[in-house]
Amino acid sequence: MGLPNHFDLVATDGEARTGKLTTPHGVVRTPAFMPVGTAGAMKGLHWREVRDAGADIVLGNTYHLMLRPGAERIAALGGLQAFTGWNGPMLTDSGGFQVMSLAQLRKVSESAVTFRSHIDGLSFELSPERAIELQRLLGSDIAMQLDECVRLPAERGDIERAMQLSLRWAERGKRAFETAPAGYMLFGIAQGGDVPELRRASALSLAGIGFHGYAIGGLAVGEPQSVMLAMIEEVAPILPRDRPRYLMGVGTPEDMLEAVARGIDMFDCVMPTRNGRHGMAFTRFGQINLRNARHADDPRPLDEESLWPSTQRCSRAYLHHLVRSGETLGAMLLSEINIAYYQRLMADIRDAISQRALASFRERTRADWEKGDIPPR
Amino acid sequence: MGLPNHFDLVATDGEARTGKLTTPHGVVRTPAFMPVGTAGAMKGLHWREVRDAGADIVLGNTYHLMLRPGAERIAALGGLQAFTGWNGPMLTDSGGFQVMSLAQLRKVSESAVTFRSHIDGLSFELSPERAIELQRLLGSDIAMQLDECVRLPAERGDIERAMQLSLRWAERGKRAFETAPAGYMLFGIAQGGDVPELRRASALSLAGIGFHGYAIGGLAVGEPQSVMLAMIEEVAPILPRDRPRYLMGVGTPEDMLEAVARGIDMFDCVMPTRNGRHGMAFTRFGQINLRNARHADDPRPLDEESLWPSTQRCSRAYLHHLVRSGETLGAMLLSEINIAYYQRLMADIRDAISQRALASFRERTRADWEKGDIPPR
């Protein structure tokens, strides 16, 4: 309890909220989508393009950065912002999620998780305290507690055990964060899988411990969207109203729109860049597959009403050609186009909430997505 | 003879020249380096970055474009400029060079070269007339005649046969170009390998046929730099003084500086982007290998006096990390840094020629390269 609050709620509309989160490296307008700069770089985008697209904050992966180039090295080079040249707010995850998904020979104990690097096989130990130390070395504006995330479907017993361990790690993480300078933040993570009472218990305990903000973890890991939304509905009302709420690893534009309507403020996901590398564009008309032969002779842009230059100008025929030819520029353009779409959606959502018009915006936006792409010529 | 001249010589300094070449899509300041946009895209750069770096003109490869997406398709989409979004001058090669290096089952006859696509094995025929037709469909500001290029070292008999065939193809190309609209240009290509008298004979015959400009082909194909420069010294004095001279496929910064001093006006090369993808940076201090461990902890930029933002700001440590991690951004940044260095070199060369100070510029620049990189910290 008692951690200073850096979040200002500006307006609400039903459960949805818009606000400003003040970090040491700048202000984040919420709801916010955080593009994922895995190992200190966005795949296919320059930082200036991330900024131009409207992102206030980006996410870095502690697991990747601790292995290469190393958190101590980044600290010696002045922290993640100085290192990468992204001069804005950064959130880092704890490393735990990627230890679970990427590392080899991992072993979870009460004290820590041990694993071998997927790059060179070297052994590492990640404890709740070391997770905080790493993120402090990186200079993250927002650090995440170490938690254990269970892939769904899973047994209730496994979900509960991981949730309880995550709570004990939350307390240890909070103690380890006590020496952080003013303005830097630590978020706790609610777990509990797809079990409503475990989700509620986790959120309640976390709120009791007290953090600068609260994340919902362990979702978008294979469960249906309806389960994800139901879990948000269980957890959000329990989390302190005046603190930011972050739904980790989510998601599609529709996931985000629905989660905002249930009180979520922050998101991150690799989908816009990953799908961009696979020839997919996110637009007002839903997702468009540029590999499809229907685009080969189509001189029209993806969306002539878009305010983003590449979306409004690059022809479908050109994008199709680049994707089919495996040209890097295809991945670069589609990643940029998708990040810009995600940021535009967030900006429109913030405007709609400010005008207490989210319901009609949501209806209109969903109708556009469902209508699908413009007909072929 | 009698083709209209679109080249204005602005100043000369010894054999070196600076001028302006007026094309249907804009003016090209010479000496000019043309970045290579192989299949309608620069590898790792947006067109806006190519423009910002100072490039007036780019090169497209007819071989790649005829196979995918197809010249007829690009014509239907409004030509290369409309297709790619590069709204400036474009030169295309004839396709011949890449037929020789990439295609399968190629067969050269008097009438044409036949080959199978390296993409799908389909058969194609490329005649001198079809090479012009393809480039007209693409909408190239400057088209190149079809020629036969011999890899060195080679027998004199083979070099002479290819040179004579290229001259006959030059005449056929010129006839095929007669219907091109005003302002579009066709360049002839001097061949002759490393045999001075064949080089002179080729250049003399080409000048007799008469083109908008003249290229020197078949160099930078394995011979020492001294041979390349010697061949330029044979050919340049024979080519019409008032027409642009283009040294194909060249080269390193040093190659270009030396070739300019011998009367060359235009260059193209994949080296800045290809080497960029392999972790190499071209700078004032010569070529720098960012994979080298000496950069891992170095917060200094590549060149703090550079006027190009990424060269002047990105730390060596960050570039090293990106290259070692295989991050796309590493290739993007180094490609951009290298194209910018090539363009800056050309701009400085143009200034030096205008001030009749190329000799001292050349000495200073070579001394900087030879001094090598700044010492490690």
Side-chain angles (χ1 to χ4, degrees):
Chain A
M1 285 290 196
L3 291 184
N5 190 12
H6 305 296
F7 186 56
D8 295 304
L9 264 183
V10 174
T12 60
D13 184 6
E15 294 301 310
R17 311 120 57 84
T18 180
K20 288 185 197 307
L21 181 62
T22 303
T23 82
H25 288 91
V27 171
V28 178
R29 299 162 290 179
T30 66
F33 175 75
M34 302 183 282
V36 180
T38 316
M42 294 287 305
K43 297 200 188 301
L45 279 87
H46 291 280
W47 291 117
R48 57 182 178 264
E49 292 154 0
V50 180
R51 171 70 74 192
D52 288 350
D56 291 336
I57 179 170
V58 299
L59 182 142
N61 289 128
T62 294
Y63 172 78
H64 288 286
L65 294 164
M66 71 182 282
L67 297 184
R68 190 168 56 192
E72 276 76 6
R73 171 170 282 146
I74 290 178
L77 289 162
L80 264 179
Q81 276 87 355
F83 180 62
T84 61
W86 166 262
N87 294 311
M90 276 212 180
L91 179 147
T92 46
D93 60 12
S94 68
F97 183 81
Q98 281 164 331
V99 167
M100 307 303 170
S101 56
L102 293 176
Q104 300 160 339
L105 292 175
R106 60 189 176 278
K107 217 181 97 188
V108 181
S109 72
E110 181 65 30
S111 64
V113 49
T114 55
F115 62 94
R116 288 183 187 272
S117 157
H118 73 288
I119 300 172
D120 55 14
L122 285 180
S123 286
F124 288 87
E125 182 180 276
L126 189 62
S127 66
E129 292 78 13
R130 177 64 178 158
I132 298 300
E133 184 183 24
L134 287 167
Q135 295 177 83
R136 295 291 314 119
L137 286 164
L138 295 174
S140 323
D141 297 85
I142 303 174
M144 302 300 299
Q145 69 149 102
L146 185 66
D147 62 342
E148 187 187 358
C149 168
V150 174
R151 214 166 273 280
L152 299 177
E155 297 291 324
R156 181 183 164 127
D158 291 335
I159 295 172
E160 181 158 12
R161 188 200 49 73
M163 183 273 274
Q164 295 290 359
L165 179 66
S166 297
L167 282 175
R168 293 191 296 276
W169 285 2
E171 295 200 65
R172 286 167 59 186
K174 187 181 176 187
R175 275 196 301 278
F177 197 79
E178 275 167 9
T179 55
Y184 288 85
M185 286 174 258
L186 175 64
F187 282 22
I189 305 176
Q191 289 288 354
D194 53 2
V195 185
E197 57 268 38
L198 296 183
R199 283 280 169 191
R200 287 195 303 269
S202 176
L204 201 62
S205 298
L206 274 186
I209 299 169
F211 288 93
H212 297 97
Y214 297 87
I216 306 179
L219 292 176
V221 291
E223 79 288 357
Q225 191 199 49
S226 59
V227 171
M228 180 182 84
L229 297 178
M231 292 304 109
I232 299 170
E233 287 169 14
E234 296 292 339
V235 169
I238 297 173
L239 297 176
R241 197 175 168 283
D242 62 339
R243 301 287 169 139
R245 301 164 182 169
Y246 161 29
L247 181 60
M248 301 182 79
V250 171
T252 64
E254 191 200 16
D255 286 342
M256 297 193 298
L257 184 54
E258 292 307 311
V260 162
R262 289 163 175 80
I264 299 296
D265 307 305
M266 299 165 70
F267 303 91
D268 79 285
C269 194
V270 296
M271 203 177 278
T273 45
R274 177 176 292 167
N275 289 18
R277 290 198 300 284
H278 291 99
M280 305 295 290
F282 287 98
T283 77
R284 194 159 52 96
F285 313 113
Q287 222 178 140
I288 297 176
N289 186 349
L290 269 311
R291 292 195 78 85
N292 195 309
R294 71 175 272 188
H295 304 296
D297 295 294
D298 195 336
R300 295 173 300 174
L302 280 170
D303 180 358
E304 60 189 13
E305 290 177 24
S306 170
L307 299 172
W308 186 252
S310 303
T311 315
Q312 195 251 319
R313 282 183 213 151
C314 288
S315 74
R316 289 157 180 256
Y318 187 50
L319 293 169
H320 171 81
H321 165 66
L322 295 174
V323 168
R324 284 285 187 108
S325 305
E327 285 286 338
T328 318
L329 184 59
M332 289 164 61
L333 283 170
L334 288 173
S335 297
E336 170 206 298
I337 282 167
N338 290 348
I339 291 290
Y341 180 74
Y342 269 58
Q343 295 301 338
R344 182 73 251 162
L345 178 64
M346 287 294 133
D348 289 345
I349 285 174
R350 292 192 294 266
D351 288 349
I353 297 170
S354 295
Q355 296 157 29
R356 296 181 181 275
L358 185 65
S360 63
F361 173 80
R362 186 176 165 194
E363 204 175 317
R364 209 165 54 243
T365 303
R366 295 189 62 113
D368 277 342
W369 289 335
E370 277 155 29
K371 217 168 7 180
D373 197 9
I374 52 176
R377 276 159 65 100
Chain B
M1 284 292 198
L3 292 184
N5 190 12
H6 305 297
F7 186 56
D8 295 304
L9 265 183
V10 174
T12 60
D13 183 6
E15 295 301 310
R17 312 120 58 82
T18 180
K20 289 186 197 305
L21 181 61
T22 302
T23 82
H25 288 91
V27 171
V28 179
R29 298 162 292 178
T30 67
F33 175 75
M34 302 183 282
V36 180
T38 316
M42 295 287 304
K43 297 199 188 301
L45 280 86
H46 291 279
W47 291 117
R48 58 182 177 262
E49 290 154 0
V50 180
R51 172 69 75 191
D52 288 349
D56 291 336
I57 179 169
V58 299
L59 182 142
N61 289 128
T62 295
Y63 172 78
H64 287 287
L65 294 164
M66 72 182 280
L67 298 184
R68 191 169 55 191
E72 277 76 6
R73 171 171 283 148
I74 290 178
L77 290 162
L80 264 179
Q81 277 86 355
F83 179 62
T84 61
W86 166 262
N87 294 311
M90 276 213 178
L91 180 146
T92 46
D93 60 11
S94 68
F97 184 81
Q98 280 164 330
V99 167
M100 307 303 171
S101 56
L102 292 177
Q104 300 160 340
L105 291 176
R106 60 189 176 279
K107 218 182 95 190
V108 180
S109 72
E110 181 66 30
S111 64
V113 49
T114 54
F115 62 94
R116 288 183 187 273
S117 158
H118 74 288
I119 300 171
D120 55 14
L122 286 180
S123 286
F124 288 87
E125 182 181 275
L126 188 62
S127 65
E129 293 78 14
R130 177 63 178 159
I132 299 300
E133 184 183 23
L134 287 167
Q135 295 177 83
R136 296 290 314 119
L137 286 164
L138 296 173
S140 323
D141 297 85
I142 303 175
M144 302 301 299
Q145 70 150 104
L146 185 66
D147 62 342
E148 187 187 358
C149 169
V150 174
R151 215 165 272 278
L152 298 177
E155 297 291 323
R156 181 184 163 125
D158 291 335
I159 295 172
E160 182 159 13
R161 190 199 48 73
M163 183 273 273
Q164 296 291 0
L165 179 65
S166 296
L167 283 175
R168 293 191 296 278
W169 285 1
E171 296 201 65
R172 287 167 58 187
K174 187 181 176 187
R175 276 197 301 279
F177 197 78
E178 274 165 10
T179 54
Y184 287 85
M185 286 173 258
L186 176 64
F187 282 22
I189 305 176
Q191 289 289 353
D194 52 2
V195 186
E197 57 268 38
L198 296 183
R199 284 281 169 190
R200 288 195 302 269
S202 177
L204 202 62
S205 298
L206 273 186
I209 299 169
F211 288 93
H212 297 98
Y214 297 87
I216 305 179
L219 291 176
V221 291
E223 79 287 358
Q225 190 198 49
S226 59
V227 172
M228 180 183 84
L229 297 177
M231 292 304 108
I232 298 170
E233 287 169 13
E234 296 292 340
V235 169
I238 297 172
L239 296 175
R241 195 174 170 284
D242 62 339
R243 301 288 168 140
R245 301 163 182 168
Y246 161 31
L247 181 60
M248 300 181 80
V250 172
T252 64
E254 191 200 16
D255 287 340
M256 298 192 298
L257 184 54
E258 293 306 312
V260 161
R262 289 161 175 82
I264 300 296
D265 307 304
M266 299 164 70
F267 303 92
D268 79 283
C269 194
V270 296
M271 203 177 279
T273 44
R274 177 176 292 168
N275 289 18
R277 290 198 299 283
H278 291 99
M280 305 295 290
F282 287 98
T283 77
R284 195 158 54 95
F285 313 113
Q287 223 179 139
I288 298 177
N289 185 351
L290 269 311
R291 293 194 77 84
N292 195 309
R294 71 176 271 189
H295 304 296
D297 295 295
D298 196 336
R300 295 172 301 175
L302 281 170
D303 180 358
E304 60 189 15
E305 290 177 22
S306 171
L307 299 172
W308 186 251
S310 303
T311 315
Q312 194 251 320
R313 282 184 212 152
C314 289
S315 75
R316 289 156 179 258
Y318 186 51
L319 293 169
H320 171 82
H321 165 66
L322 295 175
V323 168
R324 285 287 186 106
S325 306
E327 285 286 338
T328 317
L329 185 59
M332 289 164 60
L333 283 169
L334 289 172
S335 297
E336 168 205 298
I337 281 167
N338 291 348
I339 291 289
Y341 180 75
Y342 269 57
Q343 295 301 338
R344 182 74 250 162
L345 178 64
M346 288 294 133
D348 289 344
I349 285 175
R350 292 192 294 265
D351 288 349
I353 297 170
S354 296
Q355 296 158 27
R356 296 179 180 276
L358 185 65
S360 63
F361 173 80
R362 186 176 163 194
E363 204 175 315
R364 208 165 55 242
T365 302
R366 295 190 62 112
D368 278 342
W369 289 334
E370 276 154 31
K371 217 168 8 180
D373 197 10
I374 52 177
R377 277 157 67 102

